[in-house]
Amino acid sequence: MDGWVSRLGKRFIAFVNYTGGVSVLFAKSIFWIFVSPPKRKQILDQMVKVGIDGLPIVFLTSMFTGIVISLQTAYQMQKISATLYIASIVALSITRELGPVLTALVIAGRTGASITAELGTMKVTEQIDALETLATNPIKYLVTPRFIALFFMLPLLTVYADIIGIFGGYMIGVFKLHIGANLYMTTTWDALKLKDIMTGLIKSFAFAMIICTIACYEGMRVEGGAEGVGGATTKAVVTSFILIIAADCLFTALFYFGFSF
Amino acid sequence: MIEIVNLCKAFEDHVVLDNVNLTLRDGETIVVIGRSGTGKSVLLKHIIGIMKPDSGQVVIDGQDITRLDEKELNALRLKFGMLFQGAALFDSLNVRDNVAFNLIEHTKTDDAAINKRVAECLEMVGLHGIEELRISELSGGMKKRVGLARAICMNPNIILYDEPTTGVDPIGADAINELIKELHGKLKTLAVVVTHDMVSAYKVADRIAMLYKGKIVEVGTPEEIKNTKNPVVHQFINGAATGPITED
Ligand SMILES: Nc1ncnc2c1ncn2[C@@H]1O[C@H](COP(=O)(O)OP(=O)(O)O)[C@@H](O)[C@H]1O
Ligand SMILES: [Mg+2]
């Protein structure tokens, strides 16, 4: 009797449970921001962990991305003698798409994973139970500060990634393809509009909420010791990756069809 | 007074507590004994309300805590101290901030007063000068004692000890037993001590209760327990490898 129908049913119930659990956690993390905001020090600690500590890896990824895009486009553009377009192609693809998405993926892998591992360890060593016995709501104490920190730091990191990425493209354009430095920069500025940066940033606010909610949800429901923590960490990263890419798709479509962006 | 009435708890189809009934009187130290995995920790977690029963009640001073909402529970919990089996210290905080957690989070005490109170609490558990250490720098026995210092920081009326002497060397264990008795004398707290260390049980208990297969099978003074006619209790307190517990 345990056929595919019942397995599918179980899967479906698990999916509904998961979605429900994540939504409730999301709502509660926002609820606590307004009802009893965390102490400034707690938020700052988390901001340092997310933001400052994330700078090097974001630097590397966006630098290389800028370089790669300009090299790949140069390969095409040289055929039609239009290498100058590289400046605008790099600027637009970085700010609209690759800056926000790659930064989110890198931070999901780095900060998201570490949040899950930290909260998961706290769960299996009963520290989360201990918080409750000390009359402290675990979501308020653990999730909300991380939520606020990511919500502000991910967009800031994205702006940073945009700048570094454009700089990567600039290096190839100016030093390898011998486009004039001034010309490269003016072309970049002409191509960029505020809305390009804004659409990128709107995405990254959404990505921040995804990363934090999934990472905390997976961490807080870990069962079964160190092995459970490992499994939850993997699951948090995979789920965040999928949701980030799905959300990106959705936003891009919305911006493209829906609004006059 | 705490009354545990028909408390039942199962995890999926694994029944852990099966109609537990037990009354804890004000000011007494009651020791709950039982083998590992019988649900002693689960019982403690119901008393402080971090686990919800499938059915039954935990009535503290006339109030059924299984029906309270989070705010009411939190007000009540400030009168509780709990020492966890693995100490459950926060490893993101140092010793001082662990011990003073409640003072820092729930009161407006200034730093000097906090430092003074932390030093007092650490002194009570036989430690000093370790305020700035990280939790990862402590030995197992020290963690237990810091956990105890955190539990008593707010002068609770009710203290729950989950295996306070497990993993502590015999001398340290005796110090903890003495401390439990001393606190009991000084603060007139209601103490619930979960353990399978019979030396400790005899030393601190006013009454001993044995949890077996989800039920309280016997309650009595240490004398009564020593002279028990219940074969299950008899086997447990004498630590015999053969007997009714190990037969099935
Ligand atoms: N959160 C939980 N989820 C599932 N099973 C649990 C949980 N907590 C405890 N148990 C189970 O309940 C039983 C009793 O556990 P516990 O109270 O920790 O025993 P002990 O008497 O050694 O303290 C164990 O079999 C344990 O596996
Ligand atoms: Mg236990």
Side-chain angles (χ1 to χ4, degrees), chain A residues 85-156:
Chain A
Y85 281 109
I86 288 168
S88 50
I89 288 174
V90 168
L92 288 181
S93 46
I94 295 264
T95 52
R96 291 183 71 108
E97 191 62 38
L98 293 164
V101 174
L102 289 178
T103 309
L105 293 179
V106 164
I107 293 299
R110 191 191 166 282
T111 311
S114 89
I115 290 178
T116 308
E118 190 180 354
L119 298 199
T121 307
M122 291 186 74
K123 173 79 194 304
V124 300
T125 55
E126 298 189 309
Q127 292 176 52
I128 293 190
D129 283 343
L131 270 181
E132 287 193 61
T133 67
L134 295 164
T136 303
N137 183 295
I139 295 175
K140 169 190 145 161
Y141 187 78
L142 297 171
V143 179
T144 302
R146 286 171 172 78
F147 191 91
I148 298 174
L150 261 167
F151 189 79
F152 289 107
M153 292 320 268
L154 191 64
L156 280 180

Side-chain angles (χ1 to χ4, degrees), chain A residues 232-254:
Chain A
T233 309
T234 311
K235 217 172 146 220
V237 173
V238 173
T239 311
S240 310
F241 272 36
I242 296 173
L243 287 181
I244 287 169
I245 292 171
D248 180 49
C249 213
L250 184 73
F251 274 114
T252 310
L254 277 181

Side-chain angles (χ1 to χ4, degrees), chain B residues 50-78:
Chain B
I50 56 178
M51 270 189 187
K52 293 270 175 241
D54 298 335
S55 64
Q57 298 168 328
V58 176
V59 183
I60 299 181
D61 296 330
Q63 211 176 13
D64 179 5
I65 67 154
T66 59
R67 287 161 195 275
L68 297 184
D69 65 23
E70 193 186 325
K71 216 171 164 187
E72 296 166 316
L73 263 179
N74 281 342
L76 194 73
R77 280 172 183 150
L78 289 176

Side-chain angles (χ1 to χ4, degrees), chain A residues 32 39 41-42 49 118 121-122 125-138 140-141, chain B residues 45 48 50 70 74 77-78 80 82 84-86 88-93 101-102 104-106 150:
Chain A
W32 283 111
K39 295 188 175 161
K41 175 170 180 301
Q42 262 185 311
K49 268 195 197 165
E118 190 180 354
T121 307
M122 291 186 74
T125 55
E126 298 189 309
Q127 292 176 52
I128 293 190
D129 283 343
L131 270 181
E132 287 193 61
T133 67
L134 295 164
T136 303
N137 183 295
K140 169 190 145 161
Y141 187 78
Chain B
K45 287 177 185 172
I48 199 167
I50 56 178
E70 193 186 325
N74 281 342
R77 280 172 183 150
L78 289 176
F80 270 94
M82 177 155 179
F84 278 82
Q85 192 166 346
L89 298 172
F90 305 121
D91 35 35
S92 57
L93 304 176
F101 190 89
N102 264 335
I104 296 171
E105 290 297 319
H106 303 298
R150 182 175 72 184

